[in-house]
Amino acid sequence: MNKYTDVLIIGAGLSGLMAAAKAAELGKKVTLVAKGMGAVGLSSGCIDLWGYNLEDPNQVCQDPLAEIARLCAVNPQHPYARVQDVLEESLLFFRRVCQENGNPYLDHRGGNWLLPTALGTLRPTYLAPASMAVGDLQQVRGVLVVGFRELKDFYPDVLAANLKKSGVLQADCPLNTLMVCAGGGELTPNTLAHRLENPAVVDRIVDQIKPHLLPGAVLLLPPVLGERWDSQVAKNLAEKLGHPVYEVANIPPALPGQRLQQMLLHHVKGQGVEVVIGCTVNGARVADKRCTEVLATGAGKPIKISAKTVILATGSFLGGGLESKPGKAWESIFRLPVEIGHEKWSARDFLSMAGHLFNQMGIKVNEHLRPVDKTGEVIIENVMVTGANLAGCNHPIEKCGNGVAVASGYKAGKLAGEVGE
Amino acid sequence: METDKVQVVVIGGGATGTGILRDLALRGIPAVLVEQGDLAHGTSSRFHGLLHSGARYAVKDKEAARECIEENMILRRIAPNCVELTGGLFVQLPEDDPQYADRWITACAEAGINCEEIDVQELIKKNPVLSPNVTRAFKVPDCAVDGFRILWGNVNSARRYGARVLTYHRVSAIHQSNGRVTGVELINQLNGQKRSVECEMVINAAGPWGGEVAAMAGLEVNVIKDKGTLVAYNHRLMSMVVNRLRPPGDGDIFVPHGTITILGTTSTTVDNPGCTKPGHNEVLELIKIGQEMVPELESYRLIRAFAGVRPLYQENSAAGGRSVTRNFALLDHRQRDGLAGMVSIVGGKFTTFRLMAEKTVDLVASQLGVNAPCRTAREPLTAPVSEELLERGKKVFGVPGAKKAAERLGDSFAQVVEQAEKNPDKGRIFCECEVVSLAEIEHAAHSGDSFTLGDIRRKTRMGMGTCQGTFCSYRILGALSGYPQFAGNHREYLTKFLQKRWKGMRPVLWGQQLREAQLSTGIYCTLFAMERMR
Amino acid sequence: MSSDHRLALDNCIKCSICVSHCPVARVTDKFAGPKQNGPDLERFRLEEPAAVHPSIGYCTNCKGCDVVCPSGVAVSAMNCRARGEYVSLHGAPLRDKILARVDRMGRAARLAPSLVNRLAGLRPLRLLAEKMLGISAAMTMPRYAKKTFLELYKPKNIGDTGRKVLYYPGCYVNYNAPEVGLALAEVLAHNNIRVEVEQFDCCGLPLIANGLLDTARDQAKKNLAKLQGYINRGYDIVTTCPSCHLTLRQEYRELFQLNTDPLHEKMLDVFEYLSVLLQQGKLVTRFEELPLQVGYHQPCHLKAAGCGVPSREILQLIPGLRVADLDAGCCGLAGTYGFKKEKYAISQAIGRNVFNAVKELGVRQVISECGMCQLQIHHLTGVAVYHPLQVLAQACGPGKWLAK
Ligand SMILES: Cc1cc2nc3c(=O)[nH]c(=O)nc-3n(C[C@H](O)[C@H](O)[C@H](O)COP(=O)(O)OP(=O)(O)OC[C@H]3O[C@@H](n4cnc5c(N)ncnc54)[C@H](O)[C@@H]3O)c2cc1C
Ligand SMILES: Cc1cc2nc3c(=O)[nH]c(=O)nc-3n(C[C@H](O)[C@H](O)[C@H](O)COP(=O)(O)OP(=O)(O)OC[C@H]3O[C@@H](n4cnc5c(N)ncnc54)[C@H](O)[C@@H]3O)c2cc1C
Ligand code: SF4
Ligand code: SF4
C-alpha cells in the first residue's frame, strides 16, 4: 500500500504533535505515523524549559529564557541552540493551542514554578496546566495532602514528610494529611479519574474532606482529577470545597501528561492531519541525499509513504528513535550516526548530578534541524530531527525535556510549512 | 556494653552457617548465628542457583560428584519448596572433544548419577532456543535451587529449636584466654553499637571472609577469593538447566529460575571478599560463550548482572589442615593451631552445604561432649503448603502469585493468606513484575529481620523483575511509611535501593534495558527531581 | 521458544501506557489490566501455563493496548492465548459457546429470520435469556436479514477489466447486513469490476474472543487454504469488515503461527483497494452530490491494522459530503462482549464517549466500517449508522442505499 503526503511526521510524542499542529496550520497535507504513544504521556504534563542556574546547578533558575540564551552561548551543541530563534514563538503557539482546546497552561510570571511532586520533592517547570499550578508555596497558610485509598501510588505521608524537609513552607505552616475513599477497590489513576467524573462521587469526597479543612489551606491531590483535557473535575472540587485544589506530579500512569497527549492528538486530527498509531517505520529509501520513500508496517502489512518533508520525531532509546547494542548506538530508521563521546554510557551513581551519557546521545543537526555528519555536512536534505532524538540534551538533570520537544517540533513544522510546491 | 552468653557462636549467614545453625539446634546445642549483613549477604545469594547433580564434576572429581548427587537427593526431599525440579541437560557441540563424552558417561555411572542420552532432533524441536548444531545430549538430575529460601528455611527451622540469629552484626574480635576461645565482640552495623557474646565455641563459616575471621583469632587460613560474574535474562529461555558437555569452563551453564534464566559464570581471583562488582567485559564474554549453545542469545533481554566470590580453600602445608574431601575443608584449630573452641569450614558448594554442616557439627558436638546424631537429612525444612491453603491463596493472589508466595513463605503462607482474606487491600499486587502482594511485603517488614528495602526485596523478590524496582520501590516505600524502620529518611531508603539495582543494571545497559534505564531516570530525575532531594 | 513466539515479551518496559489506554480498565476495576494480564503474567506462563488472571475474560480484545504500546509488545495476543488457556482449564459457559458461534446462529436464524427478529424484541423472552443464559436483556440484538448476502448476490455481467476480485464478506454481512456486500458489488461494478464470492468459514474472532482457540484454529487453517488458492489464481481479496480482516491477517499469525504474509499483499480493505485504483488513475470518480454531514467512528480493529482510515481519501471525493471524525475511542461492544449480562454495563460505560461525541458534533448519521460498532452506536444514540460503502454506493448511482 502506498501513501502520498506533503509532510510525514514519524512519532506521536510531544515534538511530533507540535510539528503536525504547526505544519497543518500552515496548510500542508500532514500524515503522522507512530509505533506507539510518546513520553509526554509519562511525564508530569508540565513543560520544563530550564530548571537550574548554569553556575549553581542547585539553585532554581528564575529566568529560564535568559538562562537558555546564556546556555546557547556557552554550549552551542545543546538542542536549544538550534531552536533559540523560535523558542518564545513556539511557547506562545503551544499555549494558544492549549487555550483553544480548554486546557490552559500557565506561566509563573516568566520564571519557574516550583511544584511539589508526590514524593514531596519540588520540581522547577515553566508551564503548568491550571490544575497543577500551585502558586508560591512559601506564602500558603496551610496544606492538606489528600490521598485515595484506592490508589497504590500515592502516599500523603510521604509527600508531607518530604515537603516539610524541603524547607519551602513557612515553619509554622500547618501540614496535614488525609486518606479518602472513592468507593473502594483497587483503581489505576485512570479508573479513579473516570470515577471522579461522576459528580456524586466528587460530593462524597467533598464530605470526607470538609471536616479537615483549616482556613486558608491549599489542597494537594494525586493527578487524577478528571479524564479529559477539558475536564472540570478539579475546578468543581475546588469550588465545592471553597479551597484551591491542585494535582501534583506523580510516577506514571498520571493523567496530566496523558491529557496533554490526547488533547494534541485530538487537535491535530481536527486540523485534518491523518494520524496512524500502531504503524512502525522500519526503514527508508534515500537517493541523492533525499528521502524518497519511507517503509513502514501496520500489523505486519507493508506500507510505503512518500513525502516532501519527513520529520523524525521518534524520541530517544525509550521512544524507539535510537537503538543500541553493547558499545553501539544508531538511529533506527535512517541509520543516522549517533555520537557516543566516550565509553562510559552511564554514571556510577543512579542519581548522579552529572546525569548519564545515554540520556544525552542523539543526532546532531544544523540550524534547520537537518541531520549533519561530523563535518557539519547535511546527510539527508528533506529530513528534520526533533525532540528527544536530538543530541546534547540532558533533561533528567537540566529539566528541559518537554521544552526542547515543543520548540524543536514547532520549528520543524514551521520549516516544513515553508517548503514550496 | 550488652553481654550475652551462648554455647556456640556461628559466624556467617550463608548456606554453610545457616546449615550449621540448624544442625546444632536439631542436636539441642544452644547457638547464635551472627551475620554482618542480611542473610545471604555473601556468596549464597550471588551464585548460579544450580543444585548440582554432580555430573559437572564427574570426570574431574568423583568424590565431589558423589557428594553432590547425594545432597541433591536429600534437598529435594527436605526442601521441596526451595528446589525446582527442572532436570538438566548436557549438550555437546561439534567443536567439543567427542571422547570426553564417553569418559563422562562412565564417570557419571561410577558416581551414581543417572544420565540418559536423548534424541537431539526431538530436543531441538522442544527447545528451539538451542543450537541446531548440538551433536549429543544427555539428561541428568540437575535442579534449580533458591538460595534465599534455603537460608531462611534453615533459620526458621533452627529457631523452632531455640536458636537465635543476629543479622546486621559483624564480628569484630574473637576473645581468647589460655588457648581457648571465650567469646566474640559484635558491632551492630545499623547503629554502630557494640556488644559481646560469651561462648565455648566459635564456628567460622564466613565463606570468602573465612581468612579475615580466622585472622581475628590470630590464625592463618588461606582462602582464595574467586569472583564469578553471572547474568540474568528477563524470561525463562528454557525449561531445563543446560550445561556444556566438556571439561567445566566459563559461561557454560544456563539455569532457569522461576521467571528468569541465569547464565554464568566467569572466574577471576580477587583480594576483597566483598568485591561483587560485575564487569561489563565479563558480561560480554559470557554472552559470547553462551551463544555457542543458544545462538540467538544476543536478542534476549538481560535485566542485570551480578557477581559472587567463591571461597576456595588452599591447603597451607605449613599449617596442615584436615581436609575432609578435596571439595571443602574442615579445620579444627585446636589440633591445627592449638586454639581450642574454634573450627573453620571453608570451600565447598551450595549444593553440599548440609553435608558440610553435618561434618562440622559432628566435630563440634564431639568436642562439646554431645552425642546426638545429625537429623538434618531426614527432618523436612518446611512443612508443605496444603492444597486447600494454596487454593485459598489463589483466590486472593492469583495463580502465580499464590504459588510463588507459598514457595517463598512455606509455613508462614497461611498467615499471609489470612491477612489478604481479612483485608482485600492487602491482597493487592505491589510488585507487578514478580507478582508480590502487599500482604507478603508487610509480613516481611514485620518479621523483625528487615531493616532496609533490600531486605524485603531478598525475602519477597520484589524489585527483582523486569523493571528492576522502578515502580515497586516507590510504592512500597509509601506503603511501609507507617513502619518505624521505614518512616525516617525516605531519600536514603529509596536511593540505596535504587543504587543497588543500578549496580546490577549498569553492565547490561543496551537494548531494552537501556530503554528501561531511560524510563527510570525519567521518573526519578526528570519527574521527581530526586537527584536534588533533601 | 523462538523470538517470534514470545510476542515481543522482552520489549515490555512496564511503562503502563497500555494500562492507561485500555478502555475496559478505564471504566472498571474488575479487569486487572493489559500489562498485568499480558506481559507481566506471560513471564510466569513460560513456567506455568495456568498463570492466568481470572479477570482475563474482561478483556474485549479491542487491541488498543497493541496500538499504543511504544515497544511493539503483542499484548492482546498474549491475552487471547491466556484466555484460551483459562477456558481450556476452567471451561466456558454455555452462553459463550453459543455467542461465539455467530455462523451457526446465522444459519439457524435462516429458518425464520423475521420470527427470530421478533422474538429478540420480546421483553419477557429476553429477561428469560438473561436469567437462564446470562445474555443481557438490555442490549439490542442484531437483526437477521430475510435473505443472506450469498443468496442475494447475483454477479452482473460487466466489461472485463482483467481484475479478479474475491470478496470475503464475513458472517455479519452475510447474515445480518447483506446490503453492505451489495453496496460493495455496486461500487465495484461502477468501476467495471466483477466480484466473486464463496462460502467461507467464520473468521473465528468470536471464538478467539471467547477463548475457544482449538475450533478457531481449525477454521483458520481452512480459510487460509481457501484464500491462498484464490491468491495463487491471481485474485485480490477484499474485505469490508475490519475485524475479519485483522483476524485473518494478524491473529492467524500471532495465535496460530500460520503464515499470513501473502495476505499482507493481496488482501485489502475495500477502500484500500479503491485507493490503489485511485492512485493508478483507474478509479471512476464520477460521483453524485451527497449533501450530508456524517460522523465517522473508527473501529478499534481498523485502528489496530495500523494503516490509517482507508475510506478517508475516497469519501473526500464525494461532492457535498462532510465527514467529521468522532475521535471517541472504543464503542465498547466488542463483538459478543456487550451482550453478556455481567459486561453490558461496562460496555455501555466505554461507549459513553461515542455518545457524547455524537451529541457534541450534532450529527444525525454516523458511518463506521464494523457491523458491531454500527449496532452499538445505534443502540447508544439512536442515530442511523451505515458502512461507508453504503454512502459511496449512494454517490455512485441511483440505487437507494441510505434510509431517509
Ligand atoms: C518518565 C518521564 C517523565 C518525564 N517528565 C517530564 C516532565 O515532567 N517535564 C518535561 O518537560 N519533560 C519530561 N520528560 C521528558 C519529555 O517528556 C521527553 O523528552 C519528550 O516528551 C520527548 O518527546 P519526543 O516527541 O521527542 O519523543 P517521544 O515522546 O519519545 O516520542 C517518540 C515517538 O516516536 C515513535 N516512534 C519511535 N520509533 C518509531 C518508528 N520506528 N516508527 C514509528 N514511530 C516510531 C514512538 O512510538 C513515539 O510516538 C519526561 C520523560 C520521561 C521518560
Ligand atoms: C559465581 C558463583 C556461582 C556459583 N554457583 C554455584 C552453583 O550453581 N551451585 C552450587 O552448589 N554452588 C555454587 N557456587 C558456590 C556457592 O555459592 C558457595 O560455595 C556457597 O554459597 C558458600 O556459602 P557460605 O555460606 O560458605 O558463604 P557465604 O554465603 O559467603 O556466607 C558467608 C557469610 O559470612 C558473613 N561474614 C563474613 N565475615 C563476617 C563477620 N566478620 N561477621 C559476621 N558475618 C560475617 C558474610 O556476610 C556472608 O554472608 C557458586 C559460587 C559463585 C561465586
Ligand atoms: S506492554 Fe507496552 S505499553 Fe504496556 S507496559 Fe509494556 S511496554 Fe508499556
Ligand atoms: S485488547 Fe483492549 S480490552 Fe483487552 S487489554 Fe488490550 S486494550 Fe484492554
Side-chain angles (χ1 to χ4, degrees):
Chain A
M1 206 175 87
N2 299 307
K3 280 181 189 284
Y4 302 91
T5 186
D6 290 337
V7 182
L8 170 66
I9 295 160
I10 312 174
L14 184 54
S15 73
L17 289 166
M18 285 300 289
K22 187 62 193 170
E25 191 188 65
L26 294 173
K28 292 289 164 183
K29 179 175 176 190
V30 182
T31 301
L32 184 150
V33 301
K35 144 166 143 186
M37 291 295 177
V40 62
L42 304 170
S43 78
S44 66
C46 298
I47 307 298
D48 301 352
L49 214 50
W50 192 259
Y52 303 91
N53 282 346
L54 285 166
E55 283 79 37
D56 180 359
N58 279 308
Q59 204 62 44
V60 171
C61 157
Q62 299 301 336
D63 186 352
L65 286 168
E67 204 68 3
I68 288 171
R70 267 196 293 278
L71 165 79
C72 295
V74 297
N75 180 4
Q77 295 311 317
H78 198 281
Y80 272 136
R82 305 285 172 276
V83 296
Q84 212 189 343
D85 54 334
V86 300
L87 184 53
E88 287 181 60
E89 189 183 322
S90 69
L91 292 165
L92 286 173
F93 176 77
F94 173 81
R95 292 182 67 178
R96 173 160 63 76
V97 170
C98 294
Q99 184 73 42
E100 282 169 10
N101 284 283
N103 184 18
Y105 267 66
L106 311 178
D107 73 337
H108 189 56
R109 304 186 288 269
N112 265 321
W113 297 97
L114 199 55
L115 301 182
T117 72
L119 189 57
T121 50
L122 296 165
R123 66 188 312 279
T125 193
Y126 187 70
L127 294 177
S131 66
M132 297 180 79
V134 196
D136 292 322
L137 279 169
Q138 292 95 326
Q139 321 270 296
V140 302
R141 289 191 290 127
V143 175
L144 177 63
V145 186
V146 180
F148 290 86
R149 240 191 61 196
E150 291 82 359
L151 289 181
K152 292 199 285 199
D153 282 338
F154 187 80
Y155 296 92
D157 289 341
V158 170
L159 197 171
N162 295 311
L163 187 60
K164 185 146 222 137
K165 269 191 198 160
S166 77
V168 68
L169 300 174
Q170 284 177 22
D172 58 354
C173 172
L175 176 57
N176 297 308
T177 62
L178 177 67
M179 268 292 185
V180 295
C181 174
E186 173 183 342
L187 302 188
T188 70
N190 291 76
T191 327
L192 179 55
H194 178 74
R195 227 181 239 188
L196 291 173
E197 291 288 349
N198 178 350
V201 176
V202 173
D203 286 342
R204 278 206 295 277
I205 305 289
V206 168
D207 291 344
Q208 293 172 64
I209 297 178
K210 270 210 166 140
H212 303 270
L213 282 174
L214 296 177
V218 163
L219 279 81
L220 301 180
L221 277 87
V224 295
L225 302 181
E227 287 197 279
R228 254 170 69 120
W229 59 89
D230 53 0
S231 170
Q232 300 299 309
V233 171
K235 217 171 120 226
N236 290 344
L237 184 61
E239 269 168 21
K240 285 179 181 168
L241 288 168
H243 282 251
V245 165
Y246 297 102
E247 297 177 295
V248 301
N250 200 7
I251 193 165
L255 275 294
Q258 293 176 31
R259 289 181 205 130
L260 177 57
Q261 170 140 40
Q262 294 302 330
M263 181 205 82
L264 288 170
L265 276 166
H266 188 72
H267 174 78
V268 302
K269 284 183 198 166
Q271 296 278 88
V273 174
E274 184 182 16
V275 176
V276 191
I277 318 273
C279 174
T280 305
V281 178
N282 312 302
R285 269 189 242 292
V286 177
D288 293 334
K289 290 194 165 187
R290 289 190 70 81
C291 167
T292 53
E293 204 169 53
V294 156
L295 311 171
T297 54
K301 185 184 192 107
I303 307 164
K304 295 179 191 152
I305 312 169
S306 308
K308 295 196 187 79
T309 310
V310 177
I311 297 176
L312 195 61
T314 47
S316 184
F317 297 101
L318 177 63
L322 306 180
E323 290 174 3
S324 61
K325 272 189 179 180
K328 290 192 199 86
W330 63 91
E331 185 278 318
S332 56
I333 295 171
F334 296 95
R335 300 292 184 273
L336 297 170
V338 172
E339 230 171 284
I340 293 183
H342 51 91
E343 216 176 81
K344 285 237 177 317
W345 286 24
S346 62
R348 198 185 53 120
D349 289 339
F350 176 66
L351 297 175
S352 153
M353 273 293 281
H356 303 287
L357 183 67
F358 63 77
N359 278 326
Q360 299 162 53
M361 291 182 193
I363 297 157
K364 266 172 76 169
V365 294
N366 67 12
E367 71 277 19
H368 303 297
L369 300 180
R370 302 295 196 276
V372 295
D373 63 16
K374 275 202 187 87
T375 65
E377 185 81 18
V378 172
I379 304 172
I380 310 176
E381 275 156 3
N382 60 338
V383 169
M384 285 184 261
V385 185
T386 63
N389 208 340
L390 295 169
C393 161
N394 192 2
H395 70 75
I397 302 302
E398 297 166 348
K399 314 292 181 238
C400 63
N402 285 341
V404 167
V406 165
S408 59
Y410 173 86
K411 181 162 180 177
K414 188 175 173 189
L415 292 174
E418 287 164 1
V419 173
E421 287 309 305
Chain B
M1 191 164 68
E2 213 184 316
T3 310
D4 236 338
K5 230 175 144 167
V6 70
Q7 199 165 18
V8 179
V9 168
V10 183
I11 306 176
T16 316
T18 57
I20 289 170
L21 187 74
R22 174 169 190 254
D23 201 325
L24 288 167
L26 263 61
R27 297 196 214 204
I29 302 171
V32 59
L33 180 145
V34 186
E35 164 56 53
Q36 61 185 351
D38 188 20
L39 279 197
H41 171 80
T43 316
S44 300
S45 65
R46 309 172 169 285
F47 76 126
H48 214 148
L50 170 57
L51 186 63
H52 284 285
S53 62
R56 184 172 167 84
Y57 306 107
V59 171
K60 216 178 87 198
D61 187 342
K62 207 147 297 162
E63 200 168 339
R66 197 167 292 128
E67 283 170 9
C68 282
I69 187 67
E70 280 169 20
E71 288 302 309
N72 177 308
M73 293 300 158
I74 291 172
L75 279 175
R76 289 167 182 237
R77 205 170 56 233
I78 65 166
N81 65 325
C82 308
V83 178
E84 223 187 289
L85 297 177
T86 55
L89 285 171
F90 274 76
V91 298
Q92 189 188 54
L93 293 174
E95 55 268 42
D96 299 336
D97 172 14
Q99 260 136 50
Y100 181 78
D102 300 328
R103 265 189 290 149
W104 177 80
I105 297 167
T106 325
C108 281
E110 284 168 14
I113 302 161
N114 213 344
C115 83
E116 177 197 337
E117 178 144 22
I118 54 174
D119 182 64
V120 172
Q121 293 317 314
E122 213 32 45
L123 175 74
I124 309 284
K125 226 167 95 192
K126 273 207 208 124
N127 297 278
V129 295
L130 292 178
S131 164
N133 302 332
V134 169
T135 46
R136 293 183 80 178
F138 298 83
K139 244 165 128 167
V140 297
D142 282 344
C143 297
V145 61
D146 189 303
F148 299 121
R149 287 186 214 156
I150 291 272
L151 266 56
W152 281 105
N154 278 334
V155 163
N156 290 333
S157 162
R159 276 177 172 164
R160 281 194 288 271
Y161 291 92
R164 284 186 300 145
V165 173
L166 290 172
T167 55
Y168 289 101
H169 281 76
R170 192 170 70 83
V171 174
S172 51
I174 297 176
H175 301 305
Q176 44 183 294
S177 111
N178 300 328
R180 269 210 86 78
V181 167
T182 58
V184 296
E185 181 185 80
L186 310 178
I187 303 177
N188 182 324
Q189 300 294 290
L190 300 168
N191 59 19
Q193 273 170 13
K194 284 192 179 174
R195 70 199 277 184
S196 67
V197 181
E198 283 176 24
C199 64
E200 293 168 40
M201 192 71 140
V202 166
I203 302 176
N204 169 15
W209 287 265
E212 276 77 357
V213 168
M216 290 179 198
L219 309 173
E220 201 189 317
V221 170
N222 193 10
V223 178
I224 296 177
K225 284 147 262 181
D226 180 44
K227 185 181 90 165
T229 294
L230 298 151
V231 289
Y233 282 90
N234 179 47
H235 73 271
R236 215 173 154 88
L237 301 180
M238 58 275 286
S239 55
M240 295 171 99
V241 174
V242 179
N243 304 264
R244 184 84 173 260
L245 183 46
R246 65 174 185 195
D250 281 1
D252 57 2
I253 310 181
F254 290 86
V255 183
H257 260 278
T259 46
I260 62 169
T261 310
I262 301 180
L263 163 67
T265 160
T266 58
S267 160
T268 13
T269 306
V270 293
D271 294 330
N272 176 2
C275 172
T276 53
K277 189 175 178 295
H280 181 69
N281 290 332
E282 288 170 274
V283 169
L284 297 184
E285 192 57 29
L286 278 177
I287 298 173
K288 221 172 99 197
I289 302 169
Q291 255 171 353
E292 294 171 13
M293 284 193 282
V294 178
E296 268 192 69
L297 207 50
E298 256 193 26
S299 71
Y300 298 129
R301 173 174 179 183
L302 283 169
I303 48 176
R304 62 188 285 104
F306 57 104
V309 178
R310 287 182 199 86
L312 301 178
Y313 178 65
Q314 191 167 56
E315 187 128 358
N316 189 331
S317 50
R322 182 164 74 100
S323 173
V324 176
T325 75
R326 276 156 293 172
N327 191 10
F328 59 86
L330 174 61
L331 311 177
D332 178 359
H333 294 295
R334 182 175 69 181
Q335 202 187 57
R336 179 183 183 255
D337 309 289
L339 177 63
M342 177 141 172
V343 298
S344 293
I345 173 88
V346 276
K349 299 181 202 335
F350 191 99
T351 306
T352 55
F353 83 86
R354 196 212 57 84
L355 178 67
M356 290 158 69
E358 176 176 343
K359 300 282 179 207
T360 309
V361 179
D362 282 350
L363 174 68
V364 168
S366 77
Q367 294 192 358
L368 294 173
V370 177
N371 50 19
C374 173
R375 281 165 40 206
T376 55
R378 270 175 292 130
E379 188 164 323
L381 215 51
T382 47
V385 168
S386 73
E387 270 306 310
E388 182 250 324
L389 184 60
L390 193 62
E391 287 306 315
R392 272 170 59 198
K394 284 182 189 169
K395 291 216 174 72
V396 277
F397 305 130
V399 172
K403 281 198 169 171
K404 296 284 166 190
E407 284 165 5
R408 279 191 294 267
L409 290 161
D411 304 335
S412 315
F413 183 58
Q415 250 172 289
V416 171
V417 171
E418 267 159 37
Q419 275 299 318
E421 285 173 342
K422 248 191 277 163
N423 183 353
D425 280 357
K426 309 265 183 217
R428 298 182 190 183
I429 302 303
F430 264 50
C431 167
E432 296 183 348
C433 297
E434 291 294 321
V435 194
V436 186
S437 69
L438 178 59
E440 185 178 348
I441 287 160
E442 289 195 343
H443 175 80
H446 261 306
S447 70
D449 327 285
S450 295
F451 305 95
T452 68
L453 291 181
D455 295 349
I456 298 178
R457 167 174 71 81
R458 276 181 291 273
K459 292 195 183 93
T460 61
R461 272 196 75 77
M462 81 168 232
M464 310 262 265
T466 308
C467 87
Q468 288 288 297
T470 296
F471 287 89
C472 62
S473 54
Y474 161 72
R475 180 178 291 159
I476 284 158
L477 181 85
L480 298 183
S481 61
Y483 287 69
Q485 57 300 19
F486 300 102
N489 192 335
H490 295 148
R491 184 179 62 86
E492 192 186 316
Y493 288 128
L494 204 49
T495 308
K496 271 196 183 148
F497 185 88
L498 293 168
Q499 185 58 32
K500 282 262 163 65
R501 304 278 79 201
W502 188 240
K503 180 179 157 195
M505 274 173 81
R506 276 189 80 210
V508 300
L509 279 189
W510 66 79
Q512 301 301 339
Q513 210 58 352
L514 184 59
R515 297 181 63 227
E516 194 76 63
Q518 280 201 326
L519 179 59
S520 198
T521 49
I523 290 172
Y524 287 99
C525 298
T526 315
L527 192 115
F528 277 148
M530 209 185 145
E531 77 287 354
R532 291 167 168 101
M533 183 178 181
R534 281 194 216 153
Chain C
M1 168 143 321
S2 80
S3 40
D4 197 30
H5 293 181
R6 284 176 299 132
L7 302 171
L9 168 64
D10 270 354
N11 292 11
C12 176
I13 52 167
K14 311 296 167 193
C15 67
S16 72
I17 284 179
C18 54
V19 182
S20 33
H21 287 83
C22 170
V24 177
R26 191 185 130 239
V27 303
T28 179
D29 61 343
K30 292 202 173 101
F31 179 51
K35 161 184 171 290
Q36 292 78 356
N37 276 290
D40 283 357
L41 286 190
E42 191 72 10
R43 286 176 74 235
F44 289 84
R45 285 193 281 268
L46 294 176
E47 182 189 1
E48 162 67 276
V52 180
H53 197 278
S55 75
I56 191 69
Y58 280 92
C59 162
T60 63
N61 192 29
C62 74
K63 304 194 174 294
C65 44
D66 299 358
V67 172
V68 297
C69 172
S71 312
V73 180
V75 190
S76 71
M78 288 177 189
N79 286 348
C80 282
R81 283 202 213 162
R83 188 171 30 233
E85 188 63 37
Y86 192 80
V87 166
S88 72
L89 282 172
H90 303 273
L94 175 64
R95 187 240 357 238
D96 292 9
K97 287 184 195 155
I98 296 174
L99 289 177
R101 302 311 300 259
V102 292
D103 47 348
R104 283 193 191 159
M105 278 196 289
R107 278 202 295 276
R110 290 297 325 114
L111 301 173
S114 12
L115 179 66
V116 174
N117 290 340
R118 208 149 355 105
L119 292 178
L122 285 183
R123 184 97 186 122
L125 210 65
R126 292 295 301 275
L127 287 172
L128 191 70
E130 174 161 314
K131 214 152 170 242
M132 306 288 291
L133 285 168
I135 296 177
S136 162
M139 185 59 206
T140 309
M141 281 287 159
R143 294 181 68 80
Y144 287 97
K146 293 207 177 71
K147 286 197 156 151
T148 66
F149 168 69
L150 289 180
E151 285 166 351
L152 286 171
Y153 176 61
K154 301 277 174 294
K156 283 188 211 159
N157 254 342
I158 34 186
D160 186 17
T161 52
R163 293 176 187 271
K164 293 169 151 184
V165 170
L166 174 85
Y167 175 42
Y168 180 98
C171 301
Y172 193 76
V173 166
N174 192 33
Y175 296 111
N176 306 91
E179 61 277 10
V180 173
L182 297 174
L184 169 108
E186 173 82 10
V187 167
L188 290 183
H190 190 67
N191 287 284
N192 288 323
I193 298 167
R194 207 175 98 126
V195 179
E196 310 265 334
V197 294
E198 144 94 276
Q199 185 79 49
F200 280 95
D201 276 301
C202 167
C203 70
L205 179 59
L207 290 162
I208 293 169
N210 285 287
L212 305 163
L213 297 188
D214 290 338
T215 320
R217 184 181 295 107
D218 293 343
Q219 295 183 185
K221 284 185 185 151
K222 278 198 246 162
N223 282 335
L224 202 57
K226 249 187 210 172
L227 291 170
Q228 185 65 57
Y230 278 93
I231 291 173
N232 294 347
R233 278 177 278 142
Y235 277 82
D236 284 318
I237 294 149
V238 299
T239 62
T240 51
C241 170
S243 290
C244 297
H245 186 106
L246 198 67
T247 306
L248 295 167
R249 220 177 75 197
Q250 181 175 295
E251 306 273 37
Y252 285 9
R253 173 172 53 88
E254 286 183 347
L255 296 180
F256 310 133
Q257 283 88 53
L258 298 173
N259 178 15
T260 59
D261 285 348
L263 297 185
H264 291 321
E265 290 289 344
K266 290 291 176 191
M267 185 173 76
L268 296 103
D269 176 273
V270 58
F271 280 99
E272 271 170 17
Y273 185 80
L274 298 173
S275 297
V276 173
L277 292 184
L278 180 68
Q279 282 164 10
Q280 295 169 341
K282 301 263 167 67
L283 187 75
V284 179
T285 51
R286 183 168 29 79
F287 295 119
E288 284 172 22
E289 178 153 350
L290 210 56
L292 266 186
Q293 150 101 357
V294 299
Y296 172 67
H297 167 78
Q298 187 180 14
C300 290
H301 286 174
L302 184 59
K303 224 177 257 170
C307 302
V309 180
S311 64
R312 188 183 149 104
E313 232 180 346
I314 306 285
L315 293 185
Q316 278 171 357
L317 302 172
I318 301 175
L321 180 69
R322 273 178 306 147
V323 183
D325 191 354
L326 296 183
D327 193 24
C330 179
C331 78
L333 186 63
T336 60
Y337 189 91
F339 293 98
K340 300 178 181 175
K341 182 178 130 200
E342 74 282 9
K343 288 165 184 139
Y344 175 74
I346 294 173
S347 158
Q348 297 304 304
I350 297 172
R352 194 77 202 160
N353 280 347
V354 178
F355 172 87
N356 291 339
V358 169
K359 286 277 153 314
E360 221 168 89
L361 289 172
V363 289
R364 269 172 305 172
Q365 277 112 345
V366 169
I367 54 172
S368 186
E369 290 84 348
C370 166
M372 288 289 132
C373 296
Q374 292 163 14
L375 187 72
Q376 170 85 333
I377 296 169
H378 178 69
H379 177 76
L380 281 162
T381 63
V383 303
V385 194
Y386 302 105
H387 193 289
L389 260 181
Q390 291 169 276
V391 174
L392 187 63
Q394 189 64 69
C396 282
K400 190 160 170 300
W401 298 96
L402 306 176
K404 194 79 197 105

